[in-house]
Amino acid sequence: MHVLDTESPARCRRRRGTTRRRVVAWLLCCAPLLARSQAPASAVHTPDVRWYEAAAAMRRLAQSWGDQAYGAVLVLDDQVVGEGPSRVIKHGDPNAHAEREAIHDAQRRLKRAKLDGSILYSTSRPCAACEAAAAAAGVSRMVFGDTLQDAGVPRAVQRP
């Protein structure tokens, strides 16, 4: 048995428009709250974010003295052991990249050359020379950028 729709087409369109407005209003109002409530607490405040913020502070420090906008920190056992703002312009040294500065700072503080088990956090993707320096120092992992992209284990540069 078929049921005939006795509503006029204009009334049906108006009701559909009202429903759409209600759905859009609900999405704008409540969907962000639902998304936040469903996200696990660990996803919001991960240690990676805290260490990236430390690297971003090094970037701001480098910018404050007119240097390139790069910063890095080296973390070992949940503590910052090396900090590195870019000092390329400040020292006139083309090798004073933030990542290398963080590695050198950690080696100086810990009084050892090998930094096994450490993680390098950087505001941008480390160049090949910085990645090679991290590999030589024994850095176990690199994380870069505000998206906290994991670059994995640093590789030594291999020349052809």
Side-chain angles (χ1 to χ4, degrees), residues 47-61 70-87 97-107 109-110 115 117-124 126 130 134 139-145 148:
D48 287 346
V49 172
R50 180 174 56 170
W51 305 131
Y52 174 77
E53 288 301 322
M58 291 293 105
R59 177 181 60 200
R60 287 189 295 275
L61 178 63
Y70 300 108
V73 295
L74 198 73
V75 176
L76 181 65
D77 296 329
D78 209 31
Q79 290 184 339
V80 174
V81 294
E83 298 176 322
S86 175
R87 293 186 174 107
H97 292 190
E99 296 84 3
R100 287 205 225 160
E101 292 293 311
I103 291 167
H104 290 305
D105 186 41
Q107 290 170 331
R109 287 183 189 184
L110 299 174
L115 303 168
S118 62
I119 303 172
L120 180 66
Y121 291 88
S122 178
T123 55
S124 65
C130 290
V139 173
S140 65
R141 191 172 136 226
M142 296 186 311
V143 178
F144 68 93
L148 299 174

Side-chain angles (χ1 to χ4, degrees), residues 20-37:
R20 282 187 190 143
R21 282 192 296 275
R22 285 183 186 151
V23 169
V24 169
W26 182 85
L27 286 172
L28 292 174
C29 173
C30 301
L33 297 174
L34 286 174
R36 249 185 277 150
S37 68

Side-chain angles (χ1 to χ4, degrees), residues 1-56:
M1 182 170 134
H2 290 80
V3 178
L4 296 174
D5 188 9
T6 58
E7 288 185 329
S8 69
R11 184 173 176 190
C12 189
R13 278 193 299 273
R14 271 189 307 231
R15 193 166 32 106
R16 195 176 327 132
T18 304
T19 304
R20 282 187 190 143
R21 282 192 296 275
R22 285 183 186 151
V23 169
V24 169
W26 182 85
L27 286 172
L28 292 174
C29 173
C30 301
L33 297 174
L34 286 174
R36 249 185 277 150
S37 68
Q38 292 173 351
S42 61
V44 177
H45 298 289
T46 62
D48 287 346
V49 172
R50 180 174 56 170
W51 305 131
Y52 174 77
E53 288 301 322

